[in-house]
Amino acid sequence: MQNSLQTFMQIHRDDNVLVALTDLKKGTAISFGGSDLYLITNVPAKHKFTIRDLQCGDAVYMYGVLVGLATEVIPRGTAITTGNIKHAANGFRLGERHLSWQKPDVSAWISRTFMGYIRDDGAVGTANYWLVVPLVFCENRNVKVLSDAFLDQLGYSRPSAYVADVQQLIDFYRAGYTPEQILETAPIFTEQNHGRPRLFQNVDGIKFLTHELGCGGTRLDSDALCGLLAGYITHPNVAGATVLSLGCQHAQADILKREISKRDRNFNKPLVILEQQNEGTEKRLLKKATVQTFVGLMQVNLTSRSPAPLSKLCIGLECGASDGFSGISANPALGYVSDIIVALGGSVILAEFPELCGVEQNLSDRCINNEIAERFMNLMTIYNRKAEESGSGFHANPSPGNIRDGLITDAIKSAGAAKKGGISPVVDVLDYPGKVKEPGLNLLCTPGNDVESTTAEVAAGANIVLFTTGLGTPTGNPVTPVIKLSTNTATFRKMPDIIDINCGTIIEGTETIEQSAERILEYIIQVASGDIQPKAVLLGQDDFIPWKRGVSL
């Protein structure tokens, strides 16, 4: 519950710490539970303080779950820190199925549609891209050559305002300015030139991806890469693709074709696959790639948007640069959005397994059958064990920024991160780089690394990604719109160029979680229809990092 003055909050009735919603000074009187306590330390906003005395070894509870153990005596009214508590989380086992849930009222949404690209396999895209990808890092340069050839000529380049700024700095240098004079000069912000008009009006862009995999590593990594790329090629936001292969690498074109067939048995999109060792010269390879890609663009330009039900949305759920407000504002708002999408027959993807540490029991109990629950628990156990064998573990997930802003243990971070998934049953658990097959809440095994996780969610079929952030991060994706939501108003105002929606209204008490969720869903519909481009798309933030299977938290 949140008190009327909005200075602190108890998240769950069983919690023995409260969250400071604003900076609280030492000596502040806190009225809670029918009595007063006085803070004996300063408590910064987003941090937590104890409501009873804790002895060394006592449990710390937030969100109703174990999130840490006291490492010393902590008097009530004391801020908890990495100096007085350590990470701890409850174990988990196969339990009973808990599948009943309170579905939200979706009467206002049941007849709503978005304007999407309907594909032959029944999936619906929120965008229409052509993809150019290498099967191995040896082809990265050739991908760059094609990018240089296509983007400007077809009207997809993004002229940089900073080119003119650098030219002006050159002029200062030639005029004899000293370094001190240049540094004292007012910053220059040149208006951006929009470049050539787009040739293919129904193609949102050509996306040129590069990576560092495909050979020289394990076969597991190269096979996973083929699966990931197949996820992108079969993705509803991708109309066709050009694939460049060297020829001798582990990630063979035949493996890619098998992975494509696994995801779409009747795959019929335009697909160009060229091998440099077959073609001979680079010039022959790139001329073929140029002509065949251009012809493919002509074909997919014939596609246009059509109305589609909201059940065709597949929402990826992501958080990055999280803070102590993430789990009480933006994340639960996404959770309510998730429940609405599930109730409408759509799909949502909750990933980042290192950030589900401590809530495994709740999630496994919500799995629709024992087999799926055991799959989830096994993936969590194996992942954490491999991390520990490398001298780390899930406990090491929180970053310095997380800790500075109140997420001092992984269990605290995880309990808040899991709120993005709402309360619906878990219909499937996917290992990387799996693809969503069932409507409802899906769990996808990925790292907590923002870009690796977002990359995997899109390969799994996410046609919209909702990304919450407390401290601010620019992460985007080449083919799926990434909508950025701030957990607090200060970050929203500070970084308006990368954040789309402010959920700090929940902390301030001017909006409920449900009201915020409804506002988010309206924005999703506009983005899915192509009426609005989120900031990550406008900035060309095309982040793409395949997960090299190993320890990445």
Side-chain angles (χ1 to χ4, degrees):
M1 64 180 177
Q2 185 170 307
N3 68 326
S4 59
L5 296 178
Q6 299 181 343
T7 58
F8 64 85
M9 175 183 180
Q10 185 184 41
I11 299 172
H12 188 279
R13 64 179 180 274
D14 294 335
D15 295 352
N16 56 5
V17 294
L18 303 179
V19 183
L21 301 182
T22 187
D23 291 340
L24 300 175
K25 293 184 177 181
K26 177 181 177 179
T28 299
I30 302 293
S31 296
F32 177 78
S35 63
D36 290 344
L37 65 89
Y38 293 88
L39 297 181
I40 61 175
T41 64
N42 292 329
V43 184
K46 308 178 187 179
H47 285 256
K48 295 83 186 168
F49 58 92
T50 56
I51 56 175
R52 61 180 66 98
D53 294 337
L54 297 179
Q55 302 302 310
C56 185
D58 282 355
V60 178
Y61 290 94
M62 278 187 67
Y63 301 93
V65 299
L66 176 66
V67 296
L69 295 176
T71 57
E72 62 184 32
V73 173
I74 308 176
R76 73 172 189 156
T78 301
I80 59 171
T81 69
T82 54
N84 58 22
I85 78 164
K86 65 179 181 179
H87 167 83
N90 283 322
F92 50 92
R93 59 179 178 77
L94 185 64
E96 297 180 357
R97 301 300 93 218
H98 296 297
L99 306 181
S100 62
W101 66 296
Q102 184 65 46
K103 293 183 180 181
D105 179 6
V106 295
S107 57
W109 312 99
I110 195 71
S111 299
R112 296 287 298 276
T113 61
F114 68 97
M115 297 296 290
Y117 294 96
I118 300 174
R119 307 302 184 187
D120 289 347
D121 64 354
V124 179
T126 59
N128 196 42
Y129 289 108
W130 187 278
L131 202 60
V132 180
V133 295
L135 266 179
V136 63
F137 55 82
C138 309
E139 293 299 316
N140 282 348
R141 177 186 169 276
N142 287 332
V143 170
K144 177 66 166 60
V145 171
L146 290 176
S147 173
D148 292 342
F150 273 102
L151 290 180
D152 184 56
Q153 292 298 311
L154 298 187
Y156 295 117
S157 63
R158 297 175 179 273
S160 173
Y162 304 108
V163 171
D165 294 346
V166 172
Q167 182 58 56
Q168 190 162 0
L169 291 170
I170 292 170
D171 293 340
F172 290 159
Y173 172 75
R174 288 174 174 166
Y177 279 51
T178 67
E180 291 75 18
Q181 288 174 318
I182 289 177
L183 290 171
E184 289 171 2
T185 303
I188 311 160
F189 297 100
T190 307
E191 287 296 322
Q192 184 168 332
N193 177 6
H194 294 289
R196 299 174 187 266
R198 187 189 297 179
L199 178 64
F200 297 115
Q201 291 299 311
N202 290 334
V203 180
D204 293 309
I206 314 175
K207 296 298 183 175
F208 298 86
L209 310 186
T210 59
H211 56 79
E212 304 302 320
L213 300 178
C215 202
T218 68
R219 296 300 172 91
L220 178 65
D221 285 338
S222 59
D223 287 352
L225 174 67
C226 289
L228 183 82
L229 296 180
Y232 274 71
I233 291 168
T234 60
H235 193 281
N237 288 6
V238 174
T242 300
V243 180
L244 298 187
S245 168
L246 180 59
C248 59
Q249 74 277 350
H250 287 336
Q252 287 285 298
D254 285 345
I255 301 175
L256 175 66
K257 291 175 183 176
R258 285 199 299 271
E259 292 294 332
I260 289 173
S261 182
K262 285 180 186 177
R263 289 158 175 78
D264 184 357
R265 291 178 181 273
N266 300 310
F267 179 80
N268 63 353
K269 294 178 182 178
L271 178 63
V272 178
I273 301 178
L274 297 170
E275 290 198 342
Q276 188 168 1
Q277 291 169 348
N278 285 343
E279 299 301 329
T281 67
E282 175 193 291
K283 187 174 182 179
R284 185 178 294 118
L285 170 77
L286 293 179
K287 279 200 168 186
K288 268 193 177 181
T290 300
V291 172
Q292 293 184 34
T293 298
F294 190 89
V295 170
L297 287 164
M298 293 171 62
Q299 293 175 307
V300 301
N301 190 51
L302 301 175
T303 307
S304 57
R305 291 183 182 267
S306 303
L310 300 188
S311 60
K312 293 298 183 180
L313 290 172
C314 181
I315 307 294
L317 305 169
E318 190 69 29
C319 55
S322 299
D323 71 356
F325 285 165
S326 294
I328 58 177
S329 63
N331 288 353
L334 260 59
Y336 198 75
V337 172
S338 297
D339 289 341
I340 293 174
I341 294 296
V342 169
L344 289 169
S347 304
V348 294
I349 305 169
L350 180 63
E352 301 179 288
F353 274 26
E355 297 173 14
L356 299 178
C357 177
V359 294
E360 297 97 335
Q361 192 65 59
N362 173 270
L363 288 170
S364 63
D365 288 349
R366 286 162 54 192
C367 291
I368 59 173
N369 58 47
N370 288 354
E371 178 185 355
I372 293 173
E374 288 177 335
R375 189 185 312 148
F376 170 61
M377 291 188 293
N378 287 337
L379 284 170
M380 289 291 289
T381 300
I382 293 169
Y383 194 162
N384 188 44
R385 184 171 67 239
K386 286 183 177 180
E388 289 177 340
E389 288 170 353
S390 298
S392 186
F394 285 173
H395 69 275
N397 174 272
S399 70
N402 295 150
I403 294 169
R404 184 180 64 244
D405 273 50
L407 301 178
I408 60 176
T409 73
D410 187 49
I412 292 176
K413 183 177 180 180
S414 294
K419 294 297 180 182
K420 301 191 301 292
I423 60 173
S424 69
V426 175
V427 299
D428 204 358
V429 173
L430 308 170
D431 197 4
Y432 176 86
K435 183 174 182 178
V436 169
K437 301 182 291 293
E438 302 294 335
L441 173 60
N442 292 258
L443 304 183
L444 173 66
C445 183
T446 75
N449 178 296
D450 302 344
V451 179
E452 288 176 339
S453 181
T454 302
T455 297
E457 287 186 339
V458 173
N463 54 14
I464 293 284
V465 172
L466 299 178
F467 191 122
T468 68
T469 182
L471 306 176
T473 176
T475 303
N477 183 265
V479 302
T480 289
V482 176
I483 299 171
K484 219 61 75 35
L485 307 97
S486 69
T487 70
N488 63 87
T489 300
T491 297
F492 178 73
R493 289 174 177 166
K494 184 179 182 181
M495 308 179 82
D497 57 327
I498 64 171
I499 297 176
D500 303 288
I501 295 174
N502 179 28
C503 294
T505 51
I506 297 169
I507 300 297
E508 294 156 3
T510 60
E511 192 175 39
T512 65
I513 287 172
E514 293 78 11
Q515 289 169 337
S516 180
E518 290 170 0
R519 179 165 56 92
I520 293 166
L521 187 50
E522 287 290 352
Y523 191 86
I524 290 172
I525 294 171
Q526 293 180 74
V527 170
S529 300
D531 296 330
I532 292 178
Q533 287 189 324
K535 304 295 175 58
V537 175
L538 292 173
L539 291 170
Q541 191 77 33
D542 293 341
D543 299 310
F544 178 81
I545 302 179
W547 183 21
K548 188 174 182 180
R549 198 64 179 257
V551 179
S552 177
L553 298 177

